[in-house]
Amino acid sequence: MGDYYHHFLTSMSGVEDYSPAGFQHSPQLPGGLISTQGNPAALAYQSTQRLGYIRSFPEPTFPNTPKPSKGRRKVAATVGNGTDHVKHRRTRSGCFMCRSRRVKCDETRPICERCKKGNRECIYPDPPGPKGAPGPGKSKEMQSSTCKASPSSSNEGDEDDRESSNQLETIYDDDESEDALQQAPGPHSQPVESCGLPHERQGSEGLIEDGVQVLSSPSTSTAGSISVATRQSCDLPSSGGRTDWSHLPPDFQHHLTYYVDNITNYHYSLANDGDAFFGTIMPSLAINHEPLLYALVGFSAYHATLENPNGQLQDFLGYYNRSVTLLLDCIKRKETNNVPVLVTILQLATMDEFLGDWVNLMGHQKAALEIITKVFTPETVMLTPVGRACLNWYSRYDNYVAIMGGFPTELPREWFEVMVSYSQSHAAVETGNVRWKADERSSRLRMISYDMSMLYARGSRGQISPEGFRESHEQITQRLLDWKSSWDPALTDPAYLVTDFSYQRPLDVEDIVDPYEKGILFKPPLFTTTLITAEWHSIFIMHLSQSIDTPQSQLFEEIGQHAYVACQYFESVEFWPLKPKGALISLQPCISIAALFLPHDMRHQMWIRRKFALLDMLGCIHPTARRIKMAQVFRDPSCARWWLPNDAGLTPVLQNIRAFADDRNAAAVNAQQENIREVRHLFAKLEVGLAEPDAQVKAGESTGH
């Protein structure tokens, strides 16, 4: 990874003076910026960036963490009453279960004594290949760095010689009692793969052979689908029990429990998560990789803090800061091209999205792109649950940032094509599994969004003639319409429609849509249908807004119709008592773009402002630049401070979080990032439309509102 990301992280600021109560202070954080001599990218970041992270901020640490001594670390095994000690070295060759439990493995094969007595699954790593040769199905980067990703793992070997103040405390290998050893593994016990990940015996994609998952696509597939088989050992189960984190401090246990109980893929604005990545896999991955652990705990603490009337900003910032510090250490050790670091970066990007910090998000996005294209290829990325999740997660940012900022998508089109072909081929084989049908719907819409971003970028740069732009725009319009009209009946099964509206209240003059209309809400497992349909309307709004030859009155009438539908979907989900957790966060982009194209009379304005206030209270912070723009649209300067009169709903902790977010958003690095921060091309179109206010009135009248 280039020096730019190291410098990007070290030049982040904004958590200064927020000293988290209850956290121990580290004597010293990683110091110093990297040299910028001869590095234009680093110079640009240093001269303009003052966002997000500061090195003088005290970090949370695990309790009683000793500073490791120089040389190879040794682990003491206490015998009997604790008076006799036998030193032993941790090695690379122990079984994965003993490594995950951080105990000495006697390396008896095929089953070590500890696993045999405890009735645990005993799996050993593959024998090392010739020096310098990558293992089967792995890139050289993966083999050399993935298994070093976790400083808390015992799989360190010669790496133990490295001194680091960020390691977990030395593990004393106490001999367990016979009763403890003979207990069968409970629902929280999971074996661990060679890169610190739980081991998968058998999944929907293939079988495990010698500790390596053999993956292949369905035997029958459509043209262009994946038909290769690969072997990857660094993957996780698609389902299973909760990971054991009982060895962590109480606050970490609390926040991880909160995470799995309350945070869903919808909090990541992803409509589908067929592999249970966010609920099962990522917590398992975090247990074995400290930067991700702190990032995940910080994200959980952020949401818990918003729900706490007495919440404090420092309740989550300490974890966030520590994650950045540990990630910097990975970069210094050049241990970056691996899945845990990739997921850590994506998690930090998600935190920045919640804070409305799209400038910082783009810095993380650039780093994530570099890693994902080194760890995976288009031929392998869809073959594991982690690969699928990372591509889905990253590609959303790639598309969304590009469309919002008016510049090209970074990831080549073939990565989007493989998402479609893979889900298509699985849907053709597993005809009764709606998961793959939903994945196909979502990935196809993502690919259309990719083509939209590329077209808009070419148009804004003068790289296409007006006639060529018009023709391509019409083609995308037709593809969007075809997408909407080609649903698989299984995804719109009336049996899953919400028909119980016993919670309904009478509509009044303040309502602009009917949130109780039948045919909008689908219950799980078809709730994805509701979300991606709303997403389609918002994408169509964006696409129509970029038309170059449609009369303004006609354009705003068409856009207005879709804007009302997007608002209807949002409020239908909002009022539904059984909505999944985080569902409204997935709809945040839909309501944000729809708000720009509704009539701006007081009734519509207050409706939108109530929704924006709700989203802020859920943690989706609208930064100052966006609030100022909306205040201009609404012609109400008070919106620049808060959406509702008399600061209704603006709790002290939310005020502090908004102030923190505003400080991080105070600067932009370059013109491209200024565009994403202010969404200039959308507001420019809106300003033209405001010159014809009758168009918006007609849009409202045509839909009966």
Side-chain angles (χ1 to χ4, degrees), residues 26 118 130 184 227 268 318 320 354-355 401 403 411 457 546 571-572 686:
S26 295
S227 59
Y268 295 84
Y320 171 87
F354 270 85
L355 294 173
V401 167
I403 289 180
L411 204 62
Q546 301 305 302
E571 195 165 69
S572 294
L686 183 61

Side-chain angles (χ1 to χ4, degrees), residues 258 263 267 298-308 316 354 585 618-619:
Y258 178 93
I263 306 300
H267 286 85
F299 188 62
S300 176
Y302 174 73
H303 289 281
T305 298
L306 286 164
E307 296 176 0
N308 182 4
F316 71 90
F354 270 85
I585 292 172
L618 292 174

Side-chain angles (χ1 to χ4, degrees), residues 206-355:
L207 301 176
I208 297 298
E209 295 179 5
D210 299 327
V212 178
Q213 186 178 19
V214 181
L215 301 158
S216 61
S217 62
S219 56
T220 58
S221 60
T222 57
S225 64
I226 298 175
S227 59
V228 300
T230 188
R231 299 163 71 92
Q232 297 203 18
S233 64
C234 190
D235 210 349
L236 294 151
S238 59
S239 62
R242 181 175 296 182
T243 303
D244 180 13
W245 47 69
S246 60
H247 61 287
L248 298 177
D251 58 328
F252 283 74
Q253 296 184 46
H254 169 75
H255 289 306
L256 287 173
T257 300
Y258 178 93
Y259 179 90
V260 298
D261 290 343
N262 296 279
I263 306 300
T264 68
N265 55 290
Y266 306 126
H267 286 85
Y268 295 84
S269 295
L270 296 173
N272 47 334
D273 182 20
D275 295 309
F277 174 82
F278 293 100
T280 301
I281 295 177
M282 191 155 68
S284 301
L285 185 59
I287 294 301
N288 297 283
H289 186 66
E290 284 189 73
L292 178 57
L293 176 62
Y294 277 95
L296 202 64
V297 166
F299 188 62
S300 176
Y302 174 73
H303 289 281
T305 298
L306 286 164
E307 296 176 0
N308 182 4
N310 300 315
Q312 300 293 323
L313 192 61
Q314 56 264 30
D315 292 347
F316 71 90
L317 282 183
Y319 301 110
Y320 171 87
N321 191 78
R322 181 63 170 166
S323 177
V324 174
T325 303
L326 292 170
L327 185 57
L328 277 166
D329 287 346
C330 287
I331 295 173
K332 290 177 182 178
R333 296 193 301 267
K334 301 187 183 303
E335 298 172 2
T336 55
N337 292 330
N338 58 73
V339 167
V341 169
L342 171 62
V343 177
T344 302
I345 292 172
L346 291 172
Q347 180 62 63
L348 291 174
T350 299
M351 188 70 244
D352 285 331
E353 179 184 7
F354 270 85
L355 294 173

Side-chain angles (χ1 to χ4, degrees), residues 11 15 46 74 87 129 131 149 160 224 246 270 286 376 400 425 560 562 566 576:
S11 62
V15 294
Q46 180 171 342
K74 297 183 179 181
K87 301 286 188 178
K131 186 174 182 180
D160 288 343
S246 60
L270 296 173
F376 301 106
Y400 192 62
S425 61
H562 290 281
W576 184 30

Side-chain angles (χ1 to χ4, degrees), residues 11 36 70 165 250 344 350 362 416 478 504 506 629 662 680:
S11 62
T36 58
K70 292 184 178 180
S165 61
T344 302
T350 299
M362 290 179 67
F416 294 87
Q478 188 58 50
Q504 179 175 350
K629 287 288 188 180
D662 286 345
R680 285 179 170 174

